[in-house]
């Protein structure tokens, strides 16, 4: 893993409207060591302009409390501050246990709170920051990606990402501490019978997305990332189909209440009322 340390000019990036309901994205790192094979960021400039392959490098953004605090204050003067952390990295990838960039940013946000904070991760390390998540009350949603309950699929599609059981345990712990949280079954990978029931034991809300609706290019990015071939290799071609999403939604709605089965961007729109911490 190629690791560099950088001092960013700013942490908050304007979303420009591409993430409905959010004014800013916050990426504590550039690059992502998890290197999921389906990651659409592989096809974005942040990856395309680097020589090294996505998943083999990470830039650590040096987080200083003072400058980030002033950034939050300036943002507040301009209007609502709803933050999506993170859109092109995982804020809890392995290096975070040593570098603590995400934790330092959370400490600053706990001091000067945004209107809403969305935390998207697939790492059990997120449970480390339960003490800070609590400070945000109902103005936070922690979203833990659990695309499947099949480790063979995890190893094929995202071998660098943490094991599924550890993610499930972390999500359970986060929920049990009263923090609004969901499982993101996104992108849906082939799963075993009873997966919705297993998730229901640890969370009351799921967000479902697939490689067509969810890649931001109507499936073209997923196609160019070789997903069709990977599903063939998994002997699960029937799962790589635009029709599959409806069946998955139906399976989850048999177990979860309909209003708690969110699809695509519904799963990350800021909320204040529909989940009680
Ligand atoms: S964890 Fe997220 S950002 Fe990182 S490689 Fe996987 S999909 Fe991409």
């Amino acid at each position: 893993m190629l690791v560099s340390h950088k001092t960013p000019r700013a942490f908050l990036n304007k979303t420009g409207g591409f993430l409905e309901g959010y004014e800013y994205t916050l990426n504590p790192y550039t690059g992502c060591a998890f290197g999921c094979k389906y990651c659409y960021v592989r096809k974005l400039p942040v990856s395309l302009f680097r020589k090294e392959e996505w998943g083999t490098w990470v830039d650590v953004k040096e987080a200083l409390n003072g400058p980030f605090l002033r950034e939050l204050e300036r943002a507040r003067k301009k209007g609502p501050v709803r933050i999506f952390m993170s859109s092109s990295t995982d804020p809890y990838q392995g290096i975070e246990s040593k570098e603590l960039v995400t934790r330092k940013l959370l400490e600053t946000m706990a001091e000067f709170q945004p209107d809403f904070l969305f935390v998207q991760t697939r790492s059990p390390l997120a449970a480390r920051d339960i003490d800070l998540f609590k400070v945000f009350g109902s103005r936070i949603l922690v979203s833990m990606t659990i695309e499947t309950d099949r480790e063979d699929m995890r190893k094929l599609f995202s071998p660098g990402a943490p094991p599924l059981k550890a993610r499930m345990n972390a999500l359970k712990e986060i929920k049990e501490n009263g923090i609004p949280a969901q499982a993101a079954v996104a992108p849906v990978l082939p799963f075993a019978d009873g997966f919705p029931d297993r998730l229901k034991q640890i969370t009351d809300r799921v967000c479902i997305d697939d490689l067509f609706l969810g890649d931001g290019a109507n499936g073209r990015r997923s196609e160019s990332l070789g997903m069709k071939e990977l599903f063939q290799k998994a002997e699960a071609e029937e799962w790589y189909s635009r029709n599959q999403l409806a069946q998955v939604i139906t399976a989850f709605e048999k177990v979860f209440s309909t209003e708690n089965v969110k699809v695509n961007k519904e799963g990350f729109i800021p909320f204040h009322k529909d989940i009680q911490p």
Side-chain angles (χ1 to χ4, degrees), residues 5-257:
H5 288 75
K6 305 257 163 93
T7 304
R9 282 217 317 269
F11 274 96
L12 294 176
N13 279 311
K14 288 214 175 94
T15 59
F18 90 95
L19 278 169
E20 195 176 322
Y22 292 87
E23 287 76 29
Y24 302 96
T25 57
L26 176 57
N27 289 289
Y29 299 91
T30 311
C32 184
F34 289 160
C36 308
K37 292 185 185 169
Y38 52 70
C39 180
Y40 70 87
V41 185
R42 288 172 178 273
K43 294 289 173 188
L44 298 183
V46 65
S47 170
L48 295 174
F49 291 159
R50 292 285 283 238
K51 283 200 307 286
E52 303 85 11
E53 196 192 337
W54 182 252
T56 67
W57 57 274
V58 59
D59 295 345
V60 179
K61 297 185 184 174
E62 306 278 6
L64 298 171
N65 176 279
F68 184 47
L69 189 64
R70 286 193 287 283
E71 229 184 295
L72 287 167
E73 286 168 348
R74 280 197 301 276
R76 161 71 68 235
K77 283 185 190 147
K78 291 177 192 157
V81 182
R82 290 169 296 192
I83 298 175
F84 190 102
M85 182 174 84
S86 297
S87 57
S88 59
T89 190
D90 193 307
Y92 289 102
Q93 57 186 297
I95 200 167
E96 167 62 18
S97 61
K98 177 164 84 82
E99 297 287 348
L100 303 173
V101 180
T102 300
R103 183 156 179 95
K104 286 179 203 156
L105 295 173
L106 280 170
E107 283 169 352
T108 305
M109 287 189 280
E111 215 178 301
F112 192 93
Q113 292 191 19
D115 296 294
F116 194 82
L117 176 65
F118 186 88
V119 179
Q120 174 59 53
T121 183
R122 66 199 67 216
S123 170
L125 182 58
R128 179 200 66 188
D129 289 343
I130 284 172
D131 59 328
L132 289 168
F133 295 156
K134 281 183 179 170
V135 176
F136 297 91
S138 62
R139 289 182 296 163
I140 188 170
L141 178 62
V142 179
S143 183
M144 179 69 70
T145 297
I146 304 173
E147 321 93 307
T148 173
D149 55 352
R150 287 181 55 181
E151 269 296 304
D152 60 335
M153 292 299 154
R154 199 269 304 165
K155 285 178 183 161
L156 186 60
F157 286 87
S158 57
L164 299 160
K165 186 73 186 149
R167 298 188 219 175
M168 288 190 190
N169 290 342
L171 176 58
K172 185 166 182 277
E173 189 183 348
I174 290 166
K175 287 290 290 184
E176 284 174 353
N177 274 274
I179 293 146
Q182 69 180 10
V185 184
V188 171
L189 297 181
F191 56 74
D193 288 346
F195 179 42
D197 297 283
R198 278 189 279 287
L199 280 187
K200 186 71 172 76
Q201 288 169 22
I202 55 173
T203 184
D204 52 10
R205 172 174 155 136
V206 289
C207 167
I208 298 171
D209 212 346
D210 70 1
L211 286 162
F212 300 95
L213 205 55
D215 79 341
N218 196 24
R220 287 190 303 279
R221 277 192 191 126
S222 300
E223 191 87 21
S224 69
L225 287 167
M227 287 303 107
K228 190 173 175 190
E229 293 74 16
L230 212 49
F231 275 80
Q232 280 166 354
K233 191 172 172 191
E235 297 181 354
E237 293 95 324
E238 69 279 15
W239 287 81
Y240 189 66
S241 150
R242 289 174 198 274
N243 303 328
Q244 190 67 22
L245 185 64
Q247 291 181 37
V248 172
I249 293 167
T250 303
F252 274 87
E253 284 182 346
K254 282 184 186 153
V255 177
F256 289 77
S257 60

